[in-house]
Amino acid sequence: MSEILRVENLTKFFDTSGGKLHAVDGVSFSLEKGKTLGVVGESGCGKSTLGRTVLHLLEPTAGKIYFEGKDITKVGKKELHKLREDMQIIFQDPFSSLNPRMTVSDTIAEPLILQKKLQKVQIGQEVEKLMDTVGLADRFANAYPHEMDGGRRQRVVIARALALNPKFIVCDEPVSALDVSIQAQILNLMQDLQEERGLSYIFVTHDLSVVKYISHDIVVMYLGQLVEKAPSVEIFRSPLHPYTKALLSAIPKPDVHEKSKRILLKGELTSPINPKPGCRFAARCLYACDRCHEPQVQKEIMPNHFVACCRAEELMTGTLQDG
Amino acid sequence: MSEKDVLLSIEDLVVEYSSDSEIVHAVNDVSLQISKGQTLGLVGETGAGKTTIAKAIMQILPDPPARITGGKVIMDGENLLDLKEDKMQKIRGNRISMIFQDPMTALNPTIVVGKQIMEAISLHEKVSSREACRKAEEMLEKVGIPKERYSDYPHQFSGGMKQRVIIAIALACNPELLLADEPTTALDVTIQAQVLDMMNELKQEFGTSVLMITHDLGIVAETCDCVAVIYAGEIVEYGTAAEIFDNPQHPYTTGLFGSLPNMAKEGGRLKPIDGMMPDPTELPEGCKFAPRCRFATEKCRQGRPELRSAGGSHVVRCMRTS
Ligand SMILES: Nc1ncnc2c1ncn2[C@@H]1O[C@H](COP(=O)(O)OP(=O)(O)OP(=O)(O)O)[C@@H](O)[C@H]1O
Ligand SMILES: Nc1ncnc2c1ncn2[C@@H]1O[C@H](COP(=O)(O)OP(=O)(O)OP(=O)(O)O)[C@@H](O)[C@H]1O
Ligand code: SF4
Ligand code: SF4
Ligand SMILES: [Mg+2]
Ligand SMILES: [Mg+2]
């Protein structure tokens, strides 16, 4: 098995009126070819920023991004442009990711036209093939985005992302705005494409049932930092970081009789602007102690299961008293 | 349910969108009741007509192309559809407020987020601007955004943070009726729980009624007293939350439950309902779900099934319900 992407200490700060906003702060992980890495975490924790920075759509503040072994933070503009064909993104916002004045076929054809490799006729054939791949009927070729429902719109977005035959796609909340039955159709489609084409995905989502279904590995972020990383099954079976535990406990269940026992997060909000060095979850953590106000290092608590929490071992063995 | 407990009642509402060549039959004879202090869930596929119903209540449908061709929306004995625009304007924001599905178009990109919340507060409460500002900071924190971010512009916020600002604005005016259109689609479960709790507080404290539009059956189970399932602009099943969850009757509703990713299971394939909703410009004659229904018979394709009682307050629009 080979690695397609490796990210080391990736960091992205934004300058704001209040100071440096730590949107992504020292994140490291790797992704195997043909696999899916799920990225989950609180709204505003830096998932979209991570996705964009990995593709170098945002200039990283620090850190390295190796795509097929090559550090893409170092390559020139021209080479980056070439690499972009292999790396695509599906954006979060379903309302603004399509140009309202372009038809479906023009939207899908655009990257092929810009690439300037194919003749007009070939592009037409390619667009037909792509529409077929994502399950869009021919009759939509001349439709505009507002004439289609959300599920079909998302199929157009996927067809466009596939146009240049990429190896790797960052999917930023691709199904969050869709209802469950259409969500299921799109997730199945993405899985089929992965199997057929050996695609690798980074799959950003706040929906835990979706991430569980589609990911091989999962990383959990909290205020810009990676707090837990493990195989998908493992995270759901034995979450170790207190934030991950709270997150899993908060999933609403489609059952009117079972009132869920969620761990409510209370306590002061921590701002990502000029944060203090300690654990960023400390203000809301049930187990916070003195050691938590020092920087937390990531440790491999179990094989392939990494946690950035000084009390993770105690939590795992159950020797912990609530702090 | 006695008559006086009802805050808003929709009767036989019909809404169409017309373009040069076609008519989209978006809402077809919909009747719903929202009781005081209760939450009614409205669930259904994309394009089913959920947003159109909410916008019809608010009287903010784009006309053209939208036209309300029949029905009433009654609040306090008055048909809102007959009110003059200046009267309706007073109701909007004061008595009824809406959380829009698309936060990007509902926020002003040139004004800092805190000020947008503050303006909503000042508009509805006679308070000093200092006090309004303090309240706006409090609302920000309540939706999980540190007050230090008051002076940021919308583009500096993440998708979910923008959605939370919209929620803060809608809740700031303590409405009697809150129309929440997919209010938490961009939020993770912990923040979602916080937001749902806030709505619950509003319900407890001020007796606010809520129309909760969502495709998340987990949210419905957790927040709704009653549920209406809508398909192709028609109510196909309606009842208390317990009736719908314990005993879903309509084949579309059972299909919805079947397509949920199951948290208890690992891997496997999801089971979406096969096929697509019919084209709303050419709705089928009989049962609109017939083309996708595995129980469909000739009878289903002939006449439109009426809503039939399935016991209690539970009604179902299906020939199989007897
Ligand atoms: N252009 C920008 N300028 C300043 N701050 C920004 C900018 N873009 C994002 N941020 C901030 O960076 C942090 C991370 O934002 P990001 O969009 O990556 O979050 P997210 O995890 O994708 O959240 P969501 O689930 O709500 O989409 C937030 O605090 C956000 O306000
Ligand atoms: N401005 C418009 N012009 C023409 N047709 C429209 C317009 N707005 C909505 N429609 C159509 O009316 C029908 C109902 O749309 P509506 O937005 O109410 O559905 P919805 O249930 O809210 O769906 P979603 O879950 O995607 O938000 C759809 O077929 C839609 O395409
Ligand atoms: S480091 Fe401390 S505060 Fe942070 S999650 Fe672990 S126990 Fe909680
Ligand atoms: S009326 Fe017939 S086609 Fe319609 S849902 Fe019932 S069984 Fe299916
Ligand atoms: Mg995001
Ligand atoms: Mg809608």
Side-chain angles (χ1 to χ4, degrees):
Chain A
M1 234 178 268
S2 63
E3 179 182 271
I4 186 159
L5 178 82
R6 184 154 47 90
V7 165
E8 286 175 4
N9 190 34
L10 194 65
T11 302
K12 177 67 190 174
F13 295 167
F14 290 107
D15 285 315
T16 69
S17 54
K20 287 244 179 299
L21 190 149
H22 293 219
V24 174
D25 203 349
V27 168
S28 307
F29 59 78
S30 72
L31 172 63
E32 300 270 305
K33 199 169 176 317
K35 296 278 158 130
T36 302
L37 177 75
V39 180
V40 294
E42 195 167 69
S43 162
C45 71
K47 303 179 296 294
S48 296
T49 306
L50 176 69
R52 284 170 201 229
T53 314
V54 162
L55 295 186
H56 212 310
L57 293 170
L58 287 170
E59 186 67 40
T61 308
K64 293 199 164 31
I65 307 160
Y66 297 95
F67 183 72
E68 298 192 309
K70 184 177 284 172
D71 182 358
I72 67 166
T73 59
K74 294 262 165 56
V75 305
K77 255 212 171 106
K78 222 167 156 190
E79 203 178 345
L80 186 64
H81 200 77
K82 189 88 197 40
L83 277 168
R84 283 269 161 73
E85 294 185 1
D86 290 337
M87 313 162 82
Q88 294 290 322
I89 184 163
I90 298 174
F91 285 111
Q92 178 168 10
D93 180 6
F95 294 92
S96 58
S97 54
L98 290 173
N99 183 338
R101 277 174 291 276
M102 272 168 85
T103 63
V104 167
S105 55
D106 288 347
T107 302
I108 301 172
E110 193 181 42
L112 292 164
I113 294 169
L114 292 175
Q115 188 195 28
K116 297 195 187 112
K117 259 194 199 152
L118 300 180
Q119 301 294 316
K120 209 169 163 197
V121 190
Q122 292 170 299
I123 290 179
Q125 289 165 347
E126 196 57 32
V127 169
E128 263 176 45
K129 251 193 265 165
L130 284 161
M131 285 182 66
D132 187 50
T133 307
V134 299
L136 273 173
D138 295 341
R139 68 193 164 96
F140 289 104
N142 295 316
Y144 289 90
H146 74 269
E147 295 170 325
M148 284 183 293
D149 61 59
R152 290 201 178 94
R153 266 198 300 248
Q154 206 54 279
R155 287 176 198 266
V156 176
V157 172
I158 294 172
R160 182 188 156 94
L162 290 176
L164 300 179
N165 201 15
K167 297 173 180 161
F168 164 57
I169 306 180
V170 171
C171 314
D172 191 357
E173 311 267 11
V175 298
S176 304
L178 304 176
D179 59 83
V180 280
S181 112
I182 291 174
Q183 206 172 57
Q185 295 172 1
I186 299 288
L187 289 173
N188 285 343
L189 168 67
M190 296 187 68
Q191 262 188 348
D192 292 344
L193 290 169
Q194 178 163 56
E195 273 163 33
E196 284 159 24
R197 302 179 174 220
L199 279 168
S200 313
Y201 296 133
I202 283 187
F203 201 100
V204 171
T205 178
H206 61 263
D207 188 331
L208 293 159
S209 52
V210 166
V211 85
K212 178 177 187 187
Y213 169 74
I214 199 142
S215 314
H216 301 94
D217 291 304
I218 291 178
V219 297
V220 184
M221 287 179 77
Y222 192 79
L223 281 178
Q225 294 177 326
L226 213 156
V227 296
E228 188 157 3
K229 178 169 76 178
S232 171
V233 186
E234 177 73 17
I235 287 255
F236 282 92
R237 195 183 296 148
S238 45
L240 289 176
H241 195 280
Y243 171 67
T244 314
K245 283 176 180 286
L247 187 66
L248 294 184
S249 80
I251 303 171
K253 305 198 174 45
D255 182 338
V256 274
H257 304 295
E258 186 182 332
K259 288 291 166 211
S260 60
K261 297 180 209 66
R262 49 171 125 95
I263 306 170
L264 262 187
L265 292 178
K266 294 208 189 81
E268 221 175 292
L269 296 172
T270 304
S271 167
I273 300 173
N274 303 327
K276 293 198 199 77
C279 172
R280 291 185 190 165
F281 188 56
R284 299 162 89 186
C285 182
L286 288 174
Y287 311 104
C289 66
D290 285 347
R291 278 179 296 147
C292 302
H293 300 290
E294 293 156 21
Q296 301 296 314
V297 279
Q298 215 181 78
K299 277 181 284 186
E300 190 168 3
I301 302 281
M302 286 192 290
N304 281 322
H305 193 155
F306 297 83
V307 188
C309 165
C310 57
R311 311 196 73 176
E313 279 115 334
E314 296 167 77
L315 271 172
M316 187 177 63
T317 51
T319 53
L320 191 77
Q321 321 261 289
D322 288 11
Chain B
M1 217 188 300
S2 75
E3 278 297 313
K4 76 175 200 307
D5 290 334
V6 174
L7 174 71
L8 185 107
S9 144
I10 300 174
E11 293 168 13
D12 306 316
L13 185 69
V14 183
V15 187
E16 302 173 346
Y17 293 95
S18 42
S19 64
D20 8 317
S21 50
E22 309 174 317
I23 295 180
V24 174
H25 300 279
V27 177
N28 308 307
D29 282 318
V30 163
S31 299
L32 292 171
Q33 286 181 346
I34 305 174
S35 304
K36 288 195 175 129
Q38 297 234 309
T39 300
L40 170 68
L42 186 57
V43 289
E45 233 162 332
T46 174
K50 305 179 296 293
T51 301
T52 305
I53 292 176
K55 288 189 172 167
I57 298 173
M58 286 286 262
Q59 299 275 301
I60 49 167
L61 283 166
D63 175 14
R67 250 173 3 123
I68 298 178
T69 55
K72 293 177 186 160
V73 179
I74 312 269
M75 189 162 165
D76 283 343
E78 258 184 323
N79 184 357
L80 299 187
L81 304 185
D82 291 339
L83 289 186
K84 292 247 163 52
E85 175 55 26
D86 58 331
K87 269 191 134 175
M88 196 56 219
Q89 190 129 33
K90 288 218 182 77
I91 291 181
R92 275 197 293 265
N94 270 320
R95 300 188 61 193
I96 309 179
S97 68
M98 180 157 172
I99 299 174
F100 290 91
Q101 191 171 10
D102 174 9
M104 319 306 161
T105 56
L107 284 176
N108 184 332
T110 63
I111 302 178
V112 300
V113 291
K115 185 135 187 270
Q116 298 195 43
I117 303 174
M118 185 195 117
E119 282 175 350
I121 294 169
S122 309
L123 212 60
H124 300 285
E125 277 179 66
K126 295 212 173 5
V127 289
S128 67
S129 57
R130 214 60 184 271
E131 177 62 12
C133 177
R134 196 195 56 75
K135 275 197 153 174
E137 284 183 350
E138 197 182 292
M139 287 308 282
L140 263 184
E141 295 246 324
K142 270 199 177 172
V143 293
I145 300 173
K147 59 176 183 290
E148 287 88 345
R149 311 289 305 265
Y150 187 95
S151 303
D152 282 356
Y153 288 92
H155 79 269
Q156 297 176 304
F157 271 22
S158 75
M161 289 164 75
K162 280 183 264 203
Q163 195 171 37
R164 285 182 269 162
V165 173
I166 299 289
I167 293 170
I169 291 172
L171 298 189
C173 6
N174 296 336
E176 282 170 64
L177 174 62
L178 178 65
L179 308 173
D181 194 358
E182 311 270 10
T184 60
T185 41
L187 302 180
D188 62 279
V189 286
T190 56
I191 302 260
Q192 172 175 292
Q194 232 167 299
V195 165
L196 296 179
D197 280 350
M198 259 173 97
M199 289 188 190
N200 218 358
E201 272 171 36
L202 210 63
K203 217 164 121 175
Q204 305 289 336
E205 199 172 329
F206 302 102
T208 307
S209 311
V210 183
L211 178 68
M212 176 68 79
I213 298 177
T214 177
H215 57 249
D216 187 331
L217 294 170
I219 295 181
V220 175
E222 205 157 289
T223 64
C224 296
D225 304 292
C226 294
V227 183
V229 183
I230 180 168
Y231 185 79
E234 276 183 353
I235 303 296
V236 295
E237 186 154 9
Y238 190 14
T240 65
E243 284 165 344
I244 303 285
F245 278 80
D246 290 344
N247 187 20
Q249 290 280 315
H250 197 281
Y252 176 65
T253 316
T254 49
L256 272 187
F257 280 101
S259 54
L260 290 177
N262 188 343
M263 287 305 291
K265 257 187 11 211
E266 273 152 25
R269 255 180 107 76
L270 299 175
K271 285 196 276 319
I273 305 170
D274 284 333
M276 298 270 184
M277 214 173 63
D279 182 346
T281 60
E282 285 170 65
L283 290 175
E285 283 273 306
C287 171
K288 297 184 175 53
F289 189 61
R292 293 167 81 180
C293 181
R294 62 195 178 96
F295 304 110
T297 61
E298 215 26 62
K299 206 164 125 223
C300 305
R301 294 190 187 88
Q302 278 156 10
R304 175 194 191 220
E306 293 301 316
L307 281 173
R308 302 178 186 195
S309 169
S313 59
H314 191 177
V315 289
V316 186
R317 193 184 294 287
C318 172
M319 302 285 186
R320 295 174 79 227
T321 307
S322 50

